[in-house]
Amino acid sequence: MSSRVVVSVAVGAVALAGVGALGLAYAGDQPPALAHSTARYTAPAGERAGALTFTTDVTSSSGVKSVKVLAWPAKSSLAKKALTAKEMADAESAICEPSGGDTARCTYKVPVSRADADGSPRGPWHVAVLVTAKDGATTFKSKAADFTV
């Protein structure tokens, strides 16, 4: 085997290793991803309280630090001015459980009393979500899921 072929193979191996390392570094820098987000609203009936349940699958290579959730009516001041990630800081948290690989299944559930239901605007609502990964990367969706009151 000529020395030129050996050098070419060595250079090719180093180049491929560099591309692979770059690919891994790039994959690690991805923001958290949401998938399969759903919201279900059940109105109170008789003596039984209702509930709002939101679930989503979050994928993050560094893990999930927090998932903040805020339900808001489509006909509100939030619809007129865009909701921002900064406004989500005081929102309530979802509970996340590992569901395989880099993915966690996150659930937010809140009871809805008769008084809550009677005082809520009727019509379409949206669920906003702010996900923070353990490495500090964030993903914000102002309309991750919808439901109707």
Side-chain angles (χ1 to χ4, degrees):
M1 190 182 280
S2 76
S3 62
R4 182 177 284 182
V5 172
V6 171
V7 170
S8 294
V9 169
V11 170
V14 169
L16 284 175
V19 169
L22 178 63
L24 286 174
Y26 178 74
D29 291 342
Q30 295 296 307
L34 299 172
H36 313 294
S37 299
T38 61
R40 187 179 72 223
Y41 172 78
T42 306
E47 296 296 316
R48 181 185 54 82
L52 169 62
T53 304
F54 170 77
T55 59
T56 191
D57 292 330
V58 179
T59 302
S60 173
S61 59
S62 71
V64 178
K65 179 179 178 182
S66 69
V67 175
K68 300 285 190 163
V69 179
L70 176 68
W72 57 280
K75 295 180 182 178
S76 70
S77 61
L78 293 176
K80 293 176 184 147
K81 67 172 198 85
L83 181 65
T84 65
K86 185 177 180 180
E87 294 167 320
M88 295 289 293
D90 295 327
E92 295 181 349
S93 296
I95 296 171
C96 298
E97 299 290 334
S99 62
D102 293 337
T103 303
R105 179 73 175 217
C106 301
T107 304
Y108 169 78
K109 186 172 184 175
V110 61
V112 177
S113 69
R114 171 65 58 202
D116 291 337
D118 290 345
S120 295
R122 300 291 183 252
W125 283 59
H126 307 293
V127 177
V129 180
L130 174 63
V131 178
T132 304
K134 287 182 180 176
D135 67 3
T138 61
T139 295
F140 172 68
K141 293 203 178 229
S142 63
K143 296 178 183 176
D146 302 310
F147 63 97
T148 303
V149 172

